[in-house]
């Protein structure tokens, strides 16, 4: 199951998230286990401070590098030479000479800062050490501001997306723009297992002899959304991977879409403290 990005590069639709997985044994073991289970796509970030363990697990898996899709993200916006240093550090930690996808982690409130960072991303992409470039947490207006100066459109937008926030309108816009939609936080910080979400998702899960987590992942995959659930628990890593074999009906998908309450459980991209501009490190 792959998504063909705007430049033709293939991205596995299902991957492993690694946010909050501490560097060292935890991050190393979960990535090793995921690769053994069959995952070929790992999502990390400078901000997660676990790139070194992710990279080591990839090397030790014995799987050829070109068979594994690695995403990382630049921590914040910074002066040009700092940004190049930050990128080179990510490569070094990941023990690789290229990344498959490099993302701006959060937008800055100033469009010129975003435009400047994007120029750097374009030059890194042209330099050949990145297979695809994109953004995270960009609303439609952030993208439209980028287009004023961009030579290359972002190929991926990674955003908060789950049954409480299905992002129907943003996804439609991204489809029109040829930008792949990637979900983060699919389990709504546990919310999908509770209250009205858990009730409906639980009923759907029962009819398919599946779990709620698998229904949520399959709902995203069947909408053509890249899904990167995080788990450090071996049994859950396996459970989540099996979601690729679950086929939901159109009625199931509609029922999940109807759960939307416009509910964010992560930071609002328009009022975020993460996309600051400052020197690195
Ligand atoms: N670009 C951004 O700004 C941004 C922001 C947030 C996240 N992300 C990315 O998206 C990934 C996913 O988001 P997330 O980690 O925030 O949240 P998530 O994947 O929705 O949830 C992870 C949590 O769910 C638990 N879990 C996993 N599988 C489960 C299952 N089958 N049944 C019950 N519980 C399960 C995990 O526990 P255990 O680990 O204990 O099993 C963990 O506590 C991140 O890891 C990161 O790579 C990106």
């Amino acid at each position: 199951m792959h998504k063909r990005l705007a430049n033709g590069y293939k991205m596995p639709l299902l991957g492993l998230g690694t946010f909050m997985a501490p560097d060292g044994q935890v991050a190393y073991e979960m990535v090793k286990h995921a690769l053994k289970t069959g995952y070929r796509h790992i999502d990390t970030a400078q901000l997660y401070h676990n790139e070194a363990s992710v990279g080591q697990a990839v090397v030790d898996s014995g799987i050829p590098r070109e068979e594994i899709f690695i995403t990382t993200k630049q921590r914040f916006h910074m002066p040009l030479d700092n940004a190049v240093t930050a990128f080179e550090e990510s490569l070094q930690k990941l023990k690789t000479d290229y990344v498959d996808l490099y993302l701006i982690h959060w937008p800055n409130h100033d469009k010129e800062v975003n435009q400047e960072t994007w120029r750097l991303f374009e030059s890194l992409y042209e330099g050949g050490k990145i297979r695809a470039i994109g953004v995270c947490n960009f609303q439609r207006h952030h993208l439209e501001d980028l287009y004023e100066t961009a030579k290359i459109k972002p190929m991926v937008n990674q955003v908060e997306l789950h049954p409480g926030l299905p992002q129907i309108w943003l996804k439609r816009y991204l489809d029109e723009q040829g930008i792949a939609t990637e979900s983060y936080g699919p389990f709504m910080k546990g919310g999908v297992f509770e209250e009205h979400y858990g009730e409906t998702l639980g009923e759907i899960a029962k009819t398919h002899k599946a779990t709620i987590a698998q229904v949520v992942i399959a709902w995203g995959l069947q909408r053509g959304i890249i899904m990167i659930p995080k788990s450090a628990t071996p049994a859950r890593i396996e459970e989540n991977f099996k979601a690729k074999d679950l086929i939901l009906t159109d009625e199931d998908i509609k029922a999940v879409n109807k759960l939307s309450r416009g509910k964010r459980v992560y930071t609002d991209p328009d009022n975020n403290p993460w996309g600051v501009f400052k020197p690195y490190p």
Side-chain angles (χ1 to χ4, degrees), residues 16-20 30 43-45 48 73 103-106 135-137 158-160 183-190 193 211-214 217 228-237 239-240 266 274:
L16 178 80
T18 65
F19 179 43
M20 304 285 275
M30 70 189 266
D43 182 272
T44 182
Y48 305 166
K73 317 181 188 90
L103 300 173
I104 297 182
H105 208 145
W106 286 89
V135 294
C136 304
N137 299 298
Q158 186 183 106
V159 295
E160 179 176 347
S183 146
Y184 74 71
F187 305 138
M188 289 177 71
K189 297 197 171 162
F193 304 106
T211 65
I212 287 180
Q214 289 170 334
I217 299 165
I228 47 165
K230 175 262 171 185
S231 179
T233 313
R236 287 176 172 172
I237 290 173
E239 173 188 334
N240 296 347
Y266 294 78
W274 312 117

Side-chain angles (χ1 to χ4, degrees), residues 235-250:
R236 287 176 172 172
I237 290 173
E238 293 163 30
E239 173 188 334
N240 296 347
F241 193 63
K242 288 192 190 122
K244 67 181 175 35
D245 302 320
L246 171 60
I247 312 282
L248 299 176
T249 64
D250 289 348

